Amino acid sequence: MKLQILGSGAGLPSKNRHTQCIILDLVDEINQYYCVDASEGMQHQMLHTNIKPSKIKNLFITHLHGDHIYGLPGFLSSRDHQGGKDIPLMIYGPKGLKNWLDVTLETSRSHISYPLEIIEVAPNQTFNVDNMTIEVISMQHNIECYGYIFTERTEKGELLVSKLRDIGITPGPIYKEIKESNTFLHDGKVYDTNDFLGPEKIGRKVIIHGDTRVITDNDYKEKLDGADIIVHESTYLDGEIEKAHQYHHSELSEVLSNFKSIDFGRLLITHISNRYESDDLILIQERYRDECIFASDFMEITIPRKS
């Protein structure tokens, strides 16, 4: 599992940053990608990666501001001709997304040959997709906006083959049957399967925010606790907290302060304003290098399993 950043900028694209588009790479786990937000030019960004549009089968929209959705109609049309024919796509997002897409696709006479389902989500909604439980959390923005908590299903540990051999069970289809059972019978004795399994593979937890002010609510922070990685916007990096509040965005020092009370792995800062030149960012990154990672276009971050 890893994150791939196709767009790390805020509002307006710049020469170095497209606007927000994040890929959760689950190819090794379930042979597909999840995509969060669909910024303008996302399909062009994909051309610089190994991402296959047909392997994006679930797409999550945080909110309906243009810098998060303007790439969606083009992507949907292109996917049709890039191996996506007949491969279903589910899109999740706020109320109004379906109407906007229906009008856009009809007006442009865009033909979609694959099954397309649009699910308009609600706060605190939880649903299961593939090997993930996904929870929708409300953001504090100037329009309806969400974040998504992706929690991977915990899996049984590896079968301890040597222990099975010790009691006289040789490799074969029986191994699969044993792993899928709670107990098994051998030579007239009942065994507990857990005694023949290694440690559980704890599911990973990835949290991707939409645009938001810093949320200080304890219930919200409890949901973030234990995350392997949190992706949070920081449109403002240099102390302009009042301006961040005014425009319903976040400022870096306030984000860092807010998360001091929770336990998590890494913090990835994205949705960075194009006001910051390369020299500015180098200084800011150096100052906060022990506290967070700053996203850049085409960055990849591996999310290992918990030991």
Side-chain angles (χ1 to χ4, degrees):
M1 181 189 294
K2 62 184 176 182
L3 287 175
Q4 295 189 58
I5 308 301
L6 295 185
S8 58
L12 298 174
S14 68
K15 290 180 180 179
N16 298 319
R17 295 180 188 273
H18 279 60
T19 49
Q20 181 157 304
C21 183
I22 300 169
I23 299 292
L24 183 56
D25 183 338
L26 300 168
V27 172
D28 288 344
E29 290 78 16
I30 55 173
N31 197 33
Q32 64 171 284
Y33 303 96
Y34 289 176
C35 179
V36 180
D37 285 334
S39 61
E40 184 178 357
M42 66 176 285
Q43 59 179 319
H44 298 91
Q45 292 290 84
M46 284 184 193
L47 294 175
H48 299 284
T49 73
N50 294 320
I51 297 169
K52 295 181 179 180
S54 61
K55 286 191 175 183
I56 296 178
K57 301 177 184 178
N58 293 279
L59 200 154
F60 303 85
I61 298 297
T62 61
H63 63 296
L64 301 185
H65 277 155
D67 56 318
H68 295 256
I69 62 170
Y70 282 166
L72 190 51
F75 168 75
L76 296 181
S77 299
S78 295
R79 184 180 184 271
D80 204 33
H81 305 285
Q82 294 176 319
K85 184 177 174 63
D86 299 326
I87 298 177
L89 175 64
M90 303 279 286
I91 304 178
Y92 306 80
K95 184 178 180 181
L97 176 61
K98 186 178 188 306
N99 181 62
W100 176 72
L101 271 178
D102 285 346
V103 171
T104 301
L105 295 175
E106 180 181 357
T107 303
S108 62
R109 299 295 189 267
S110 299
H111 176 68
I112 306 297
S113 69
Y114 50 85
L116 176 63
E117 184 174 356
I118 300 166
I119 298 174
E120 295 186 336
V121 301
N124 303 315
Q125 183 177 358
T126 299
F127 43 92
N128 295 314
V129 180
D130 304 307
N131 68 334
M132 290 281 182
T133 297
I134 301 166
E135 183 174 359
V136 182
I137 52 175
S138 290
M139 302 288 95
Q140 293 183 5
H141 199 39
N142 58 357
I143 64 170
E144 182 181 0
C145 184
Y146 298 113
Y148 295 96
I149 301 176
F150 300 91
T151 305
E152 184 182 32
R153 182 177 61 241
T154 292
E155 298 179 357
K156 289 184 176 182
E158 296 294 335
L159 203 59
L160 301 176
V161 174
S162 62
K163 292 190 71 172
L164 290 172
R165 288 181 182 273
D166 287 345
I167 63 171
I169 302 179
T170 56
I174 187 68
Y175 277 16
K176 184 174 185 293
E177 295 173 16
I178 289 173
K179 186 169 183 179
E180 293 176 351
S181 67
N182 294 319
T183 61
F184 63 94
L185 181 66
H186 177 65
D187 283 346
K189 182 178 178 180
V190 176
Y191 292 89
D192 185 338
T193 301
N194 288 327
D195 293 336
F196 295 83
L197 297 175
E200 282 188 326
K201 298 178 179 178
I202 304 300
R204 289 158 284 191
K205 185 176 179 180
V206 177
I207 301 172
I208 301 178
H209 289 70
D211 291 6
T212 187
R213 290 173 173 167
V214 167
I215 303 171
T216 58
D217 180 79
N218 285 333
D219 289 341
Y220 153 80
K221 288 197 280 190
E222 283 181 10
K223 292 179 186 292
L224 273 58
D225 203 58
D228 292 87
I229 189 165
I230 298 172
V231 182
H232 197 287
E233 76 121 292
S234 187
T235 309
Y236 298 87
L237 301 175
D238 53 1
E240 296 181 284
I241 294 176
E242 289 187 8
K243 184 171 286 188
H245 287 186
Q246 178 184 352
Y247 292 104
H248 302 269
H249 285 292
S250 295
E251 185 274 337
L252 180 58
S253 66
E254 196 175 22
V255 175
L256 296 174
S257 176
N258 192 45
F259 288 163
K260 285 182 178 178
S261 61
I262 64 173
D263 180 33
F264 62 94
R266 288 175 288 179
L267 173 63
L268 178 65
I269 297 297
T270 191
H271 203 269
I272 297 168
S273 172
N274 65 2
R275 69 172 62 198
Y276 300 106
E277 301 292 339
S278 296
D279 290 345
D280 300 323
L281 282 171
I282 289 171
L283 293 174
I284 293 170
Q285 288 171 346
E286 179 64 23
R287 189 189 317 161
Y288 293 105
R289 65 179 180 177
D290 295 331
E291 299 178 77
C292 61
I293 306 165
F294 291 87
S296 59
D297 288 16
F298 304 116
M299 171 185 280
E300 296 186 8
I301 298 177
T302 299
I303 307 168
R305 281 195 177 273
K306 297 171 183 175
S307 57

